[in-house]
Amino acid sequence: MLVDGDVSYAVRMTRVLNRLESFILPKIIAKRAVKEYPANLHLPEKLISAAQIYLKVATHFVQTARA
Amino acid sequence: MTNTYYEFFCPVKVIAGKAALEHIPYELNGLAAKRPMIVTDKGVRAAGLLEPVITACEESGLDIVSIYDDVPPDSSTTVVRDIAAIYRKEKCDSIIAIGGGSAIDTGKAVNILVSEGGDDIAKYTGAGVLKRALKPFFVVPTTAGTGSEVTSIAVITDEKKGVKLPFTSSYLLPNAAIIDPRMTLTLPPHITAATAMDAMTHAIESFTCIAKNPLSDAYATAAIKKVSQSLLQVMDNPKDSDGRLELAQASTMAGIAFSNSMVGLVHSLGHATGAICHLPHGLCMSLYLPYVLEYNLETIREPLGELLLYLEGPEVYAATPGSRRAEASISALRKLRDALYKRCQLPRTLKETGKITEGQLDQIADMAMDDGSIMFNPKEVTLKDARAVLQRAWA
């Protein structure tokens, strides 16, 4: 990973990306992708969050394709 | 914990030994440098540490063209610009930085300006900006801890904006690092202790954090062994030049190790504490080291257990059951800190420093969470975790 700019923002962004991966990837894969899979992330919250994220990605994809 | 892919880079020629300073003219000649400039601070000059360097150069018919001895503890863009102006006025062709972290970082930054041109060092901040080799540059460390002589980074304060500017490039590395025990013989006990603990922390974090690799491991373990064997000897007999050389080499080896595998939470907390409470970096490292290792314990049990061999020697290692070695390593470090406290009152807790209030711990934890080195800590640190480690280190 290369950082161009303020390192402290990159640290926060990495934390956000780790959280995102924990939400959208199956636990078995996410555990390999992030340093530590969040112990307090249970299935209902994970499924709801993942569904919201995938829905937003799909919506943006459709909007972009139409534009 | 071993990475399947890693890179390791250290092209710095290390010249170490009791007559290392006398080799400086030969190294300068080898790079066709005839008009060197010395960059240092007033403390180094007052301690008479420039004399052997100047004498060595004079005996080889090489004149030191200019000496700048006013580098402050926290070097700034203005200082760098002023030194570059003197360098150009005196038509110097090389730089010898003599001192601790600040003098060395200043030397690196001056080398950027005099090689690349211009007066604004801020233009070159960041990683990968420099594209070609700089002027001949030599470093003579006068403390045994920072490892700056083998790291490719410099940090300079921009006074106007009130921010610290990082410069990262392999071109910042000196052509040679000259490690001579004469340069650290007069180091006061508390600085000897704090800087050695800085080197110890570089080595331990490089061995236990997530970017560790087999080559940095080799340097780290050798550095830990040298500090463990020599630090208390030097504290008891400050004029022990063999011991001083061991500590200076340990510092360089730890520097090579951590610049190729990074550091973790001890440094995140230490950087934040240094910025907020203005405590010396080495002292912060010594303060936080055992508490952070305890926090990371279950993630680093295996590598930390291995370090017992280098901290306490083969007899203790063999006599300690494998399941207890990690805890024994932490105990060895606590024992070392107690011994240092007894000899020079090097604080073991934040409260003992007398310069921090308990109310500042939240601010330190907040700032530590944004420090780059936290990404290499083996455990994912939360704000609550950082606060808990600080609370344990408080008293």
Side-chain angles (χ1 to χ4, degrees):
Chain A
M1 185 172 77
L2 271 179
V3 176
D4 186 3
D6 194 326
V7 174
S8 64
Y9 290 134
V11 173
R12 290 184 205 182
M13 190 64 199
T14 307
R15 226 174 267 133
V16 170
L17 289 174
N18 281 344
R19 193 73 180 167
L20 176 77
E21 288 179 65
S22 302
F23 282 140
I24 64 171
L25 296 173
K27 188 175 178 180
I28 192 165
I29 299 172
K31 278 174 98 168
R32 294 173 65 87
V34 299
K35 199 194 290 180
E36 203 170 294
Y37 189 82
N40 57 356
L41 180 59
H42 302 297
L43 194 61
E45 187 193 352
K46 183 183 171 83
L47 287 177
I48 293 166
S49 303
Q52 285 174 334
I53 293 164
Y54 281 121
L55 187 65
K56 278 184 184 164
V57 171
T59 312
H60 276 284
F61 180 75
V62 172
Q63 283 173 347
T64 311
R66 280 183 182 167
Chain B
M1 290 208 30
T2 306
N3 287 313
T4 50
Y5 173 86
Y6 68 89
E7 293 178 8
F8 187 94
F9 183 69
C10 182
V12 180
K13 180 174 182 178
V14 176
I15 301 162
K18 290 180 182 173
L21 293 174
E22 278 69 24
H23 286 257
I24 293 176
Y26 174 79
E27 296 301 324
L28 286 164
N29 280 328
L31 293 168
K34 293 181 169 42
R35 296 178 64 80
M37 174 190 211
I38 288 179
V39 175
T40 187
D41 60 58
K42 286 210 162 16
V44 169
R45 192 165 204 177
L49 297 179
L50 298 190
E51 305 315 322
V53 180
I54 295 169
T55 307
C57 288
E58 279 174 357
E59 282 173 359
S60 300
L62 198 70
D63 279 337
I64 302 290
V65 177
S66 178
I67 298 175
Y68 186 92
D69 68 357
D70 207 9
V71 174
D74 205 3
S75 194
S76 68
T77 48
T78 314
V79 172
V80 170
R81 196 185 57 219
D82 292 349
I83 301 174
I86 297 170
Y87 180 102
R88 288 172 184 139
K89 189 181 156 204
E90 299 289 341
K91 296 188 169 50
C92 300
D93 60 8
S94 51
I95 297 169
I96 306 173
I98 305 177
S102 181
I104 297 171
D105 279 10
T106 305
K108 289 175 180 175
V110 170
N111 203 15
I112 297 175
L113 273 192
V114 299
S115 304
E116 293 289 318
D119 284 324
D120 184 13
I121 189 67
K123 259 177 37 185
Y124 301 99
T125 189
V129 179
L130 301 174
K131 302 292 181 200
R132 58 195 170 112
L134 307 180
K135 302 276 185 195
F137 178 47
F138 300 88
V139 169
V140 185
T142 58
T143 61
T146 65
S148 300
E149 66 276 15
V150 285
T151 61
S152 52
I153 186 161
V155 179
I156 301 292
T157 304
D158 185 334
E159 293 157 312
K160 286 178 196 158
K161 293 181 184 166
V163 292
K164 293 203 171 194
L165 303 175
F167 303 85
T168 311
S169 168
S170 58
Y171 295 121
L172 291 180
L173 287 163
N175 297 89
I178 296 95
I179 316 294
D180 193 308
R182 281 174 285 175
M183 303 309 271
T184 52
L185 275 180
T186 53
L187 212 55
H190 66 283
I191 299 180
T192 302
T195 50
M197 288 306 285
D198 188 17
M200 178 71 102
T201 308
H202 287 155
I204 290 180
E205 289 216 289
S206 114
F207 195 81
T208 53
C209 287
I210 60 172
K212 77 200 251 59
N213 65 68
L215 295 183
S216 68
D217 283 357
Y219 281 98
T221 50
I224 293 167
K225 189 175 171 186
K226 282 187 188 301
V227 176
S228 301
Q229 289 179 345
S230 303
L231 177 53
L232 294 182
Q233 279 179 29
V234 169
M235 293 301 291
D236 292 335
N237 178 17
K239 296 291 175 196
D240 173 6
S241 61
D242 289 332
R244 289 285 189 187
L245 181 58
E246 288 292 279
L247 289 182
Q249 290 176 104
S251 163
T252 302
M253 293 169 106
I256 294 172
F258 91 84
S259 61
N260 284 282
S261 61
M262 305 310 286
V263 284
L265 181 60
V266 183
H267 275 77
S268 310
L269 294 171
H271 292 155
T273 310
I276 293 167
C277 310
H278 307 290
L279 283 182
H281 178 72
L283 169 58
C284 294
M285 298 298 99
S286 181
L287 277 171
Y288 292 127
L289 183 59
Y291 303 105
V292 171
L293 292 176
E294 279 168 0
Y295 165 71
N296 285 328
L297 183 59
E298 290 316 317
T299 325
I300 58 168
R301 182 168 282 283
E302 194 189 324
L304 187 58
E306 275 180 54
L307 291 185
L308 184 62
L309 178 62
Y310 308 100
L311 286 164
E312 291 277 52
E315 285 82 12
V316 174
Y317 181 81
T320 310
S323 60
R324 298 287 307 156
R325 282 179 187 151
E327 284 87 349
S329 294
I330 298 175
S331 300
L333 289 166
R334 285 184 176 279
K335 204 168 69 183
L336 180 61
R337 292 189 337 145
D338 290 341
L340 293 174
Y341 181 78
K342 200 172 152 192
R343 284 166 175 81
C344 67
Q345 285 72 53
L346 189 74
R348 295 159 297 180
T349 61
L350 292 170
K351 201 173 178 182
E352 278 178 0
T353 65
K355 290 183 178 169
I356 302 181
T357 61
E358 205 170 357
Q360 288 177 303
L361 300 189
D362 285 329
Q363 198 188 347
I364 295 171
D366 275 338
M367 190 182 271
M369 291 303 292
D370 288 342
D371 190 88
S373 51
I374 208 162
M375 289 172 68
F376 296 92
N377 193 66
K379 267 181 86 172
E380 188 73 75
V381 186
T382 63
L383 184 61
K384 197 176 152 197
D385 294 339
R387 185 66 175 79
V389 172
L390 285 168
Q391 196 59 52
R392 285 180 57 80
W394 170 248

